[in-house]
Amino acid sequence: MAIRITDLTAEMAKGDKKKKVVLAYSGGLDTSTIAVWLQEIGFEVICYLADVGQREDFDLVRAKAKALGASKMIISDLREEFVTEFIWMAVKSGSLYEDRYLMGTSFARPCIGRKMIEIAMEEGADYVSHGATGKGNDQNRFELACYALNPEVKIIAPWRLPEFYNRFKGRADLLDYAKLKNIPVDATPSSPYSIDDNLMHISFESGPIEDPSKEPPSDTYRYTVAPEQAPDKPCRIEIEFSKGVPVRVHNLENPLETFDKALDIFMYLNKVAGENAIGRIDIVENRFIGMKSRGIYETPASTVLYHAHLDLELFCIDKEVYRIKQFLTAKFAEQVYNGFWFSPECEFVRHCLDKTQEVVEGKVRVMLYKGGLHIIGRESPLSVYNEDLVSMDVQGDYEPSDADGFIRINALRLREYCRVSRKCAKLQKVGLRPPSANGNK
């Protein structure tokens, strides 16, 4: 459980040295306020920002944290591990939360939380803090990760402390405090949205899109163009996979655009997919905490990889193995969305999903055109596809008459169901009449 203000007061009274807290710091108004407020109640604040590919002026954030009195500003470049450990797992699993959301925020949070705990241990900080609200999913994701990795850690969640949220009831109160404490505030008007930006996606919530019936303003989107603004010429690319992971991508019409390093592959796909209007969704989803929320998401590269990987996977994986994987994928998506990445059940499911990917080897060719994503070919040395076996022109190693017994066995259950149903009027519900007593139909 997150620490309460009464516990904080008691803790601060112990000893002569200031207690250290690692604050997940973005440089925005909320976490800047929290940084000063934590010092106000007696903490030494170490600010931490994870670079997971967001478009950010890190020098500006560093300077701002120091100006606010932070003893340190630690910026960790997590882009490579975010891609290789988390995004690639998203690709291998084929995860979609509620059949639509690729979970760009959900996959980033355990990566960020793990590093925060590592820094807290290195710095000798007993406390960590964050600016997540009491209504969202991120509070669960951050804190469950922290407790899983260091059960003794103490978490300060200001937006769940009555002493904090009653004092700062809205943006006006935050701005008044910023003026009082000389907290630098951007001169430009703040975005009306709550935004999460990383390599995998950018998301928009709150503000003018809280009304689910309203179309998002055209200037909402940042990393994808509208379909009508996309190029008139299709973009054709080939993606190569090994054990379910992308290992190479190249533009079929421009061989110079070839990439084989994880971060480069993902960034290139973000670029070409965004230019061709791929990856936008507008959904209402169920938060873990129990309420529904509307989100606008741009997920260009992951959208391409989801469809390319699915195509190759079905080309290579046994049918019954794939059916079991579908069940595991649904569980995995729920675990990740809800913040249970470091749980034993999630670890188990990841191992199972990895096993299914051992045969997912090959190449997929994709055409991107004005918001449309079209698979135009695939090849694999491990495919279970047998052209001779399936061909209508070649009999292959298959005897068509064998299908007679196959059909009769599968029809046995259906015949028995019909026999029992004739004893009642049940068949009438599907447009059939039971035989009459005199045998007339």
Side-chain angles (χ1 to χ4, degrees), residues 96-97 99-105 201 281 283 285 297 337:
L96 290 175
Y97 178 69
D99 300 321
R100 295 186 291 178
Y101 175 36
L102 285 160
M103 301 188 293
T105 298
H201 85 170
I281 62 168
I283 63 172
E285 68 198 68
Y297 300 100
Y337 185 86

Side-chain angles (χ1 to χ4, degrees), residues 14 18 23 31 35 47 57 94 207 218 254 274 304 328 335 389 399:
K14 297 177 183 177
K18 280 189 174 183
L23 169 65
T31 52
C47 288
D57 186 337
S218 59
N254 184 359
V304 174
L328 292 173
Q335 290 163 355
L389 184 62
E399 182 57 55

Side-chain angles (χ1 to χ4, degrees), residues 48 135 165 326:
Y48 154 64
K135 288 186 176 182
Y165 65 69
Q326 285 181 297

